[in-house]
Amino acid sequence: MMGAGKTTVGSRLARALDRPFIDSDVQVEHRTARTVREIFETDGEAAYRSLESEVLAEALASEEPAVIAAAGGTILDANNRRRMRDFGTVVFLEAKPADLVGRVGGQDHRPLLRDDPAGVLTEMDHVRRHLYEETADFVVDVSEQGPDDVVQEILKLVTT
């Protein structure tokens, strides 16, 4: 989910593992020379989801193992879920919607939040949580931990 810490935790985890870090939103923005918000506003969500899937497929197909922060909506596509399970170890950074609101509620670059961040995040959690859980190899609760603690927990899970 947005605000769970994918970028922060992912970049720190990549450093700890000495691997490249790939953020799918950043890759989409580089490819299009537009922000995620601009893509949503001009081309619509479906166009963004298609780009998101392309970027994920490319990242997963890379010869060099990497830490990938997949955009939260990536999970909505069954092919993306299959690719993630087939090509890597998937960690779901779990947080309650109420915790996420405090992290992302006032951010203007998140096009899906509109005027009701709490309601939108609660609905997203309802739709997506079971998909995250069924795709993940590991679930890490990030509600009560800082990024460095989350990284240490993930390292223990993936290296043992």
Side-chain angles (χ1 to χ4, degrees), residues 1-141:
M1 291 282 286
M2 66 178 78
K6 296 180 300 294
T7 299
T8 301
V9 170
S11 63
R12 292 178 189 190
L13 181 63
R15 274 195 305 275
L17 294 169
D18 194 29
R19 293 186 178 177
F21 174 66
I22 301 169
D23 183 310
S24 66
D25 280 341
V26 171
Q27 294 301 310
V28 167
E29 289 179 350
H30 281 261
R31 176 177 290 188
T32 64
R34 295 185 293 161
T35 66
V36 171
R37 182 177 211 55
E38 289 170 335
I39 296 166
F40 265 79
E41 289 173 353
T42 59
D43 302 340
E45 184 174 355
Y48 171 74
R49 297 291 176 216
S50 178
L51 289 164
E52 177 180 74
S53 293
E54 290 173 22
V55 165
L56 177 68
E58 289 170 13
L60 290 169
S62 172
E63 293 287 324
E64 185 176 14
V67 174
I68 302 167
T74 305
I75 203 77
L76 297 170
D77 183 283
N79 287 324
N80 290 340
R81 294 192 301 274
R82 180 190 49 75
R83 281 187 191 110
M84 286 188 277
R85 282 191 304 265
D86 289 350
F87 290 99
T89 301
V90 180
V91 178
F92 167 32
L93 301 181
E94 177 183 38
K96 296 174 187 69
D99 294 331
L100 297 174
V101 170
R103 297 179 184 191
V104 301
Q107 297 179 1
D108 189 46
H109 68 280
R110 302 196 184 263
L112 291 176
L113 292 184
R114 300 183 301 269
D115 297 326
D116 181 19
V120 171
L121 287 166
T122 299
E123 178 60 25
M124 289 174 125
D125 184 73
H126 176 74
V127 169
R128 297 177 181 183
R129 178 171 293 273
H130 74 282
L131 299 173
Y132 293 134
E133 290 171 344
E134 77 181 29
T135 305
D137 295 294
F138 303 106
V139 177
V140 176
D141 186 342

